[in-house]
Amino acid sequence: MKRTLLLIAAVMTICFTSCAQKTKTMSNSKTLVVYYSATGTTENVAKLIASVKGGVVYQIKPTKEYSAADLNWNDKSSRSTKEMADAKSRPAIVKDLKGIDNHDTIYIGFPIWWDEAPRVINTFIESYNLSGKTIIPFATSGGSSISNSEKVLKSTYPKLKWAKGKLLNRASKNDILKW
């Protein structure tokens, strides 16, 4: 009986130690997956990247949410159309991200608007110190590639360390692993 209890106690100790180490690794992840998502598509990809790469997920939140009317790209007076027409536009965001200095690699995800990253991405980049970090853009789009978005981001922020991004429409776990 004593041996059985001792064996059970030893197995439980090993299990608890293993779980504690796994939790510590995940909470101290050097990878951060930041995203802005208007419809949930980019959010799903961000969560997939984080699950595959072991990263922490953070959602960029505009202080004023975008309504369906704000996102109507056919309306020249819609909020998103006006923002994208002005390269200096910086929509306000909730600035509640803590511990960004603890991350070495930052994936930044967004839907492509007018062949570029939404201006809210510029607000995020300018709100936090990303120097010395590897920045990897990813995007979702109904019809554009990521190439112009990457080009514009790299030329706007040439001092940041950019890695090659990827368009991840309907991405699978296998797509993320191959990337």
Side-chain angles (χ1 to χ4, degrees), residues 35-46 59-62 64-73 79-80 83 109-114 117-121 138-141:
Y35 71 93
Y36 168 72
S37 186
T39 63
T41 303
T42 308
E43 176 180 21
N44 292 336
V45 174
Q59 179 184 10
I60 299 169
K61 295 172 241 144
K64 180 184 175 206
E65 288 293 321
Y66 289 88
S67 68
D70 291 336
L71 296 170
N72 183 353
W73 59 275
R79 177 177 164 200
S80 59
E83 288 174 1
F110 49 86
I112 296 176
W113 293 359
W114 290 263
R119 302 291 181 225
V120 72
I121 298 300
F138 67 94
T140 57
S141 174

Side-chain angles (χ1 to χ4, degrees), residues 7-140:
L7 180 62
I8 291 171
V11 169
M12 288 178 64
T13 302
I14 291 168
C15 288
F16 288 138
T17 302
S18 175
C19 288
Q21 287 176 346
K22 194 174 212 174
T23 302
K24 183 178 178 185
T25 302
M26 291 301 283
S27 65
N28 292 332
S29 173
K30 295 291 185 183
T31 301
L32 176 64
V33 182
V34 174
Y35 71 93
Y36 168 72
S37 186
T39 63
T41 303
T42 308
E43 176 180 21
N44 292 336
V45 174
K47 289 178 179 178
L48 182 61
I49 291 170
S51 73
V52 171
K53 302 289 186 179
V56 176
V57 178
Y58 175 78
Q59 179 184 10
I60 299 169
K61 295 172 241 144
T63 56
K64 180 184 175 206
E65 288 293 321
Y66 289 88
S67 68
D70 291 336
L71 296 170
N72 183 353
W73 59 275
N74 289 312
D75 180 358
K76 292 185 189 296
S77 64
S78 74
R79 177 177 164 200
S80 59
T81 301
K82 288 179 181 177
E83 288 174 1
M84 295 309 292
D86 179 4
K88 294 186 189 311
S89 176
R90 298 296 183 265
I93 62 171
V94 176
K95 297 177 187 170
D96 60 354
L97 177 59
K98 306 283 187 243
I100 197 163
D101 292 338
N102 299 328
H103 303 283
D104 298 328
T105 302
I106 301 177
Y107 288 84
I108 298 181
F110 49 86
I112 296 176
W113 293 359
W114 290 263
D115 207 25
E116 293 183 35
R119 302 291 181 225
V120 72
I121 298 300
N122 299 87
T123 306
F124 174 82
I125 291 170
E126 294 169 13
S127 296
Y128 295 96
N129 180 8
L130 304 181
S131 60
K133 301 176 184 318
T134 299
I135 311 298
I136 308 169
F138 67 94
T140 57

